[in-house]
Amino acid sequence: MLVPPIGCHDEFKGDTSMSTDVAAPAAPAPAPVRMTAEQREAFERDGYIVLPGVLSQAELIRYTAAIDHLYARATRLGEIARDGSLHRLSAVAACPELADLMTHPAAFPMVWQTLGWNVHVYHSHLDVHPTVPSAKPFRFEWHQDGGRQNREIESNPRPRMSVKLAFWLSDVSEPGRGNFKVVPGSHLTNRIDGPPRRDVEWPDPEGAIPVTVNAGDAVFFDRRIWHARSDNHSPITRKAVFFGYTYRWVARRDEAPAIPAVLAGLTPVQRQLLGVLGGRANHAVDGGDHAWGHFPDEVPLYGYLKENGLLDPGFPPLIP
Ligand SMILES: O=C(O)CCC(=O)C(=O)O
């Protein structure tokens, strides 16, 4: 896809040149990775898996530069939190250069091999966390994703509903670097022991571990796994991008990119994921019966999977 030059969207408002650039001859699309039996078993058992080395060195440099640029701009605009961190929602709207991460061929196939083709990104964020100041107030960060899904759906265990990909742009291969923390296997547990209020000091849940991964690795997790961000006590600024995927019949929280040049540079599957299949947010084809899955042939991810013989008839979410 064609994306704006390094630097996120505010910098190129109104410039449509990138949508008409003469593209270099397209390299053949890499074959999608298949979830191995071992990966599926580990994902079902532990609620997460690590995907090592998803990003090439060139991709790491490109995505890091885009995030650094956004961070520098947010700093100039006074949008950085007091502790120096940046937690920006709607990752692609905020930084269109991240669009290819959302459909990365070494990671995104995990999503459709789990949820099927009728999916979109409902929630995403890019995060920059420098070393924490020494006196940071305590906050119990442990949660399952899904917000009110955890109150309003009565089953035990809760249904999966969504999965998330976390792409790591900084090295969190040692604990203490702002690692993602999880309780392996806790996705099938509706409750964990926690404090009466989030600012009351409380130990990590039993079995909690920091996920230690290298820059360029991704973590694929079930939204139900009890997880938390941890503080970064290292000198390495922690940088990561998270995409949460769910069924198109669940509302999106994210804002879609609104700039025509950005939309024009997206692939059809990316447009599906961002809820702009109709060319703009809240278009009819992104809701109603379309989101319900009644028109599979008009859903780009379905078309792609069909064309490539990837619609496993034995897996219900892939059946039209
Ligand atoms: O930033 C992290 O390590 C955790 C992110 C998180 O809690 C989430 O994506 O729901």
Side-chain angles (χ1 to χ4, degrees):
M1 67 163 259
L2 296 167
V3 288
I6 293 292
C8 296
H9 78 262
D10 325 56
E11 304 279 325
F12 62 89
K13 236 169 220 165
D15 174 5
T16 56
S17 60
M18 65 285 296
S19 63
T20 53
D21 283 349
V22 178
V33 295
R34 305 307 299 269
M35 198 173 195
T36 63
E38 291 73 31
Q39 282 175 317
R40 199 178 285 280
E41 192 188 328
F43 184 69
E44 297 294 348
R45 182 192 60 229
D46 301 334
Y48 79 105
I49 50 175
V50 174
L51 308 173
V54 158
L55 301 181
S56 67
Q57 198 58 28
E59 287 173 315
L60 251 183
I61 291 170
R62 174 175 137 210
Y63 294 124
T64 303
I67 288 198
D68 286 350
H69 187 97
L70 179 71
Y71 186 84
R73 186 166 194 281
T75 305
R76 286 198 301 277
L77 294 174
E79 295 171 353
I80 300 296
R82 222 182 276 173
D83 63 0
S85 65
L86 178 68
H87 175 64
R88 186 58 64 85
L89 303 181
S90 304
V92 175
C95 191
E97 286 171 311
L98 301 178
D100 285 348
L101 263 188
M102 192 175 56
T103 47
H104 197 289
F108 177 56
M110 299 293 147
V111 174
W112 54 257
Q113 285 169 89
T114 305
L115 298 182
W117 47 267
N118 196 34
V119 292
H120 57 188
V121 168
Y122 77 107
H123 175 51
S124 61
H125 43 99
L126 62 90
D127 297 295
V128 180
H129 285 88
T131 318
V132 283
S134 44
K136 183 168 181 268
F138 179 84
R139 193 174 151 79
F140 188 81
E141 298 280 4
W142 289 90
H143 65 282
Q144 293 180 305
D145 284 344
R148 293 200 63 80
Q149 290 172 358
N150 299 316
R151 289 206 192 284
E152 293 168 356
I153 301 180
E154 75 284 5
S155 68
N156 187 358
R158 300 187 164 109
R160 178 145 49 208
M161 301 294 289
S162 68
V163 293
K164 219 165 191 178
L165 280 170
F167 292 92
W168 294 92
L169 302 179
S170 63
D171 179 345
V172 282
S173 60
E174 307 271 341
R177 295 184 175 177
N179 306 66
F180 176 57
K181 287 191 295 186
V182 297
V183 180
S186 63
H187 55 305
L188 303 179
T189 303
N190 281 5
R191 290 198 161 276
I192 57 161
D193 188 28
R197 282 194 336 265
R198 287 203 177 264
D199 58 356
V200 173
E201 291 226 23
W202 203 267
D204 276 350
E206 205 182 320
I209 57 159
V211 178
T212 49
V213 294
N214 295 306
D217 292 353
V219 178
F220 178 55
F221 61 101
D222 183 315
R223 67 108 192 160
R224 301 169 295 178
I225 196 169
W226 288 89
H227 62 279
R229 182 172 59 235
S230 61
D231 287 341
N232 180 11
H233 296 288
S234 81
I236 303 169
T237 296
R238 180 242 208 216
K239 297 174 193 170
V241 186
F242 289 75
F243 292 101
Y245 305 78
T246 191
Y247 306 106
R248 291 170 70 232
W249 39 265
V250 176
R252 299 180 72 246
R253 292 177 61 189
D254 264 12
E255 277 175 32
I259 299 170
V262 170
L263 296 180
L266 299 172
T267 67
V269 170
Q270 289 168 347
R271 275 200 279 275
Q272 167 186 331
L273 295 180
L274 293 171
V276 288
L277 259 188
R280 59 186 158 80
N282 305 320
H283 189 278
V285 304
D286 292 298
D289 278 354
H290 215 283
W292 217 244
H294 284 187
F295 305 104
D297 287 321
E298 294 174 21
V299 178
L301 183 55
Y302 177 82
Y304 165 79
L305 298 178
K306 189 176 174 184
E307 236 168 68
N308 289 282
L310 294 167
L311 290 170
D312 176 354
F315 189 51
L318 289 174
I319 299 172

